[in-house]
Amino acid sequence: MPAPAAAPCPLKPDETSSCSYILLVQHLIEKCLLFNMDQTQCVEALSKHANILPLITITVWNELEKENKDFFSSYSRNMKNRREEDSCSQAVPEQMLEDAVAEIRNQRLDQHHSDSDNVPGARVLR
């Protein structure tokens, strides 16, 4: 099953931060999908582990559903079948998601450091 398609980002500098935040949320939703989470589980996990407001996760999820109807239709069918078969604990996927969030945060910090090294007078926000 291919991953949901990403929406293009605007090129205006003032929208870059919002765009990268939305892409971060989308990336984390994709991780949730890999862990076979439904929307409710994903919203709870991102709220708990990444401090992302539920409204943001729901909005990005809904936009992904609109843009990827076939994918989400198939995913929902597969989720229903897996729920009927699966008796695995949710603890393992949540730990994996928490690890993914930590990895993304580290990558973003590394990127901010390297970006600020290349721009005179640039300030890194933390």
Side-chain angles (χ1 to χ4, degrees), residues 84-101:
E84 292 170 359
E85 300 169 355
D86 196 13
S87 60
C88 288
S89 170
Q90 189 61 28
V92 172
E94 283 193 16
Q95 181 61 48
M96 293 170 74
L97 182 62
E98 193 170 313
D99 293 345
V101 168

Side-chain angles (χ1 to χ4, degrees), residues 29-84:
I29 289 172
E30 290 170 356
K31 291 283 188 183
C32 291
L33 295 173
L34 291 173
F35 301 142
N36 299 312
M37 293 181 177
D38 62 23
Q39 185 182 38
T40 302
Q41 292 168 320
C42 181
V43 168
E44 290 172 8
L46 295 188
S47 177
K48 178 180 176 183
H49 300 292
N51 296 323
I52 296 175
L53 294 173
L55 179 61
I56 302 295
T57 304
I58 291 168
T59 301
V60 174
W61 182 290
N62 289 342
E63 287 302 312
L64 286 171
E65 277 188 324
K66 280 186 210 174
E67 296 296 321
N68 302 279
K69 291 178 184 175
D70 292 339
F71 171 84
F72 278 95
S73 176
S74 176
Y75 182 79
S76 294
R77 276 193 310 275
N78 289 339
M79 284 293 299
K80 183 179 178 185
N81 292 339
R82 284 185 186 188
R83 263 193 226 116
E84 292 170 359

Side-chain angles (χ1 to χ4, degrees), residues 108-120 122 124:
R108 292 177 81 197
L109 283 176
D110 291 344
Q111 182 182 9
H112 283 303
H113 287 295
S114 66
D115 290 347
S116 64
D117 292 343
N118 297 329
V119 180
V124 177

